[in-house]
């Protein structure tokens, strides 16, 4: 009998960590196109808001070349904990960041950031060591190229992190379409053009059914 245990994301026990999505660091992301990457990050952020997940923002050395947090995230989460780290490369080395995470009371951490092998991998490994379940959103995390990305993915998954996408994350959190078809459909439509066609067809068919 398999010893595998499927540990699903639970919207009642999850928090989101958006690590170092900074204006300067976005220039280092070359494993996704700029438009795709921005869309993925904002899709994850919108999912966090939709599911009402505690969300923590952090930046590293803003006054240096890393630059400020991308403005869209700050606008989406005006009241979220915002930890501007003075210099720690591993966000977990910052006491305020860890305190903010532990204050949520959640044991599942959904993590994304720039760059994957450093700003995502380091706090992911640190959180795993402290007993958290970590889910890395791969397409909302970016780095120099596919080689560095795959090395980071291998390191994190070997340590016990689950690698996901923003779409898979949203579906696993939602669990059942009957919970809210229109809400989740709108989220997907905002970030997936093909899904907008699908959901528009669904709405049109539903409306036609009402008239018949």
């Amino acid at each position: 009998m398999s010893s595998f245990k499927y540990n699903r994301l639970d919207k009642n026990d999850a928090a989101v960590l958006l690590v170092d999505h900074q204006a300067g660091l976005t220039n280092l992301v070359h494993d996704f196109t700029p438009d795709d990457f921005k869309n993925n990050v904002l899709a994850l952020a919108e999912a966090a808001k939709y599911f009402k997940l505690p969300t923590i923002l952090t930046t590293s050395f803003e006054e240096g070349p890393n630059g400020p947090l991308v403005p869209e995230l700050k606008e989406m989460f005006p009241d979220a904990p915002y930890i501007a780290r003075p210099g720690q490369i591993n966000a977990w080395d910052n006491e305020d960041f860890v305190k903010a995470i532990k204050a949520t009371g959640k044991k599942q951490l959904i993590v994304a950031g720039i760059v994957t092998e450093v700003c995502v991998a380091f706090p992911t490994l640190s959180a795993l060591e402290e007993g958290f379940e970590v889910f890395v959103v791969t397409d909302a995390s970016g780095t120099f190229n596919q080689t560095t990305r795959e090395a980071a993915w291998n390191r994190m998954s070997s340590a016990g992190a689950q690698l996901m996408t923003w779409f898979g994350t949203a579906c696993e959190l939602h669990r059942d379409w009957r919970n809210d078809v229109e809400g989740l459909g709108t989220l997907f439509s905002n970030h997936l053009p093909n899904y907008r066609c699908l959901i528009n067809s669904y709405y049109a068919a539903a409306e036609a059914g009402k008239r018949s």
Side-chain angles (χ1 to χ4, degrees), residues 107-177:
K107 292 299 291 180
Q108 295 185 332
L109 304 179
I110 301 168
V111 186
I114 310 171
V115 292
T116 309
E117 70 270 30
V118 176
C119 306
V120 178
F122 292 178
T124 289
L125 297 171
S126 297
L128 288 167
E129 185 178 32
E130 291 206 21
F132 289 88
E133 285 185 71
V134 182
F135 301 77
V136 175
V137 185
T138 56
D139 53 356
S141 303
T143 188
F144 306 106
N145 53 54
Q146 292 188 5
T147 300
T148 54
R149 176 175 76 184
E150 289 171 9
W153 288 357
N154 287 337
R155 188 182 189 195
M156 291 185 286
S157 62
S158 295
Q162 294 194 46
L163 306 185
M164 302 188 70
T165 62
W166 74 261
F167 185 81
T169 297
C171 287
E172 192 158 277
L173 288 165
H174 200 61
R175 297 286 181 91
D176 191 320
W177 271 110

Side-chain angles (χ1 to χ4, degrees), residues 37-124:
F37 184 67
K38 182 176 182 180
N39 178 68
N40 295 341
V41 172
L42 295 181
L44 174 62
E46 190 174 328
K49 288 184 69 70
Y50 172 72
F51 291 107
K52 298 180 173 60
L53 305 182
T55 300
I56 298 167
L57 311 172
T58 186
T59 57
S60 173
F61 198 46
E62 283 191 15
E63 63 272 22
N66 294 351
L69 184 74
V70 295
E72 292 90 343
L73 294 180
K74 186 59 177 171
E75 290 168 7
M76 289 182 73
F77 301 100
D79 301 318
Y82 178 74
I83 291 89
R85 309 190 312 279
Q88 298 98 338
I89 294 174
N90 182 350
W92 207 267
D93 290 339
N94 183 278
E95 185 178 346
D96 292 333
F97 179 68
V98 176
K99 280 183 178 178
I101 293 169
K102 293 183 176 179
T104 68
K106 312 300 183 184
K107 292 299 291 180
Q108 295 185 332
L109 304 179
I110 301 168
V111 186
I114 310 171
V115 292
T116 309
E117 70 270 30
V118 176
C119 306
V120 178
F122 292 178
T124 289

